[in-house]
Amino acid sequence: MRFEQLDVWKRACRLSCDVYKELKNCRDYGLRDQMTRAAVSIPSNIAEGEERESNAESARFLYFAKGSSGELITQIYIAIEIGVIDKQNGMTLIKEAKEISAMIASLIKIRKGSVREESADYKST
């Protein structure tokens, strides 16, 4: 499966765009840079992992993506606290980042062989 077909990659790309839009007027350039880098890192690492040759390498990059998700969630909490992001908007971003992180965790289990994907039950006629 190509990474462009993964719902988690699509959602991570959308989250990245939403973070950029939320921070477009932010004058705290250090925080803005850190947050946008973390947000972009999530779909980028998903894509890089899916382009690797083995499931073990894929899982390695998915762990990076999951780590970036945690980093972004932390930064959003900080941005809310210091008034850079509106609380309601920030909590929406956090909710999405947590859901994406859970999706990545599930994909890691699949890549590591901890979870078996259901096989199709085809009956010959």
Side-chain angles (χ1 to χ4, degrees):
M1 178 180 282
R2 296 191 46 84
F3 67 85
E4 294 101 324
Q5 296 172 311
L6 293 172
D7 287 337
V8 67
W9 178 82
K10 292 175 188 175
R11 286 179 67 175
C13 285
R14 175 58 37 216
L15 175 63
S16 182
C17 293
D18 290 344
V19 168
Y20 264 90
K21 290 174 186 173
E22 188 65 35
L23 297 172
K24 70 181 175 193
N25 296 320
C26 177
R27 291 181 175 258
D28 184 335
Y29 302 112
L31 181 62
R32 183 176 73 183
D33 182 58
Q34 192 70 25
M35 289 179 71
T36 55
R37 284 176 186 267
V40 168
S41 180
I42 300 167
S44 298
N45 277 301
I46 292 169
E48 186 166 357
E50 293 306 298
E51 290 293 314
R52 295 293 173 146
E53 296 296 318
S54 71
N55 284 337
E57 283 187 281
S58 175
R60 181 172 166 251
F61 282 90
L62 290 170
Y63 278 117
F64 295 153
K66 191 168 179 347
S68 293
S69 180
E71 182 181 357
L72 178 61
I73 291 165
T74 299
Q75 293 160 354
I76 295 169
Y77 277 122
I78 292 167
I80 292 168
E81 187 67 28
I82 65 174
V84 170
I85 294 178
D86 172 74
K87 185 174 184 177
Q88 184 176 350
N89 294 347
M91 295 311 292
T92 300
L93 293 171
I94 288 169
K95 180 179 183 287
E96 181 64 5
K98 286 182 176 182
E99 288 178 13
I100 290 167
S101 185
M103 292 172 77
I104 293 168
S106 295
L107 193 53
I108 289 168
K109 287 179 182 176
I110 291 168
R111 295 297 179 262
K112 292 185 81 174
S114 302
V115 174
R116 301 283 181 234
E117 294 182 82
E118 297 284 329
S119 60
D121 186 23
Y122 293 108
K123 297 181 191 235
S124 60
T125 55

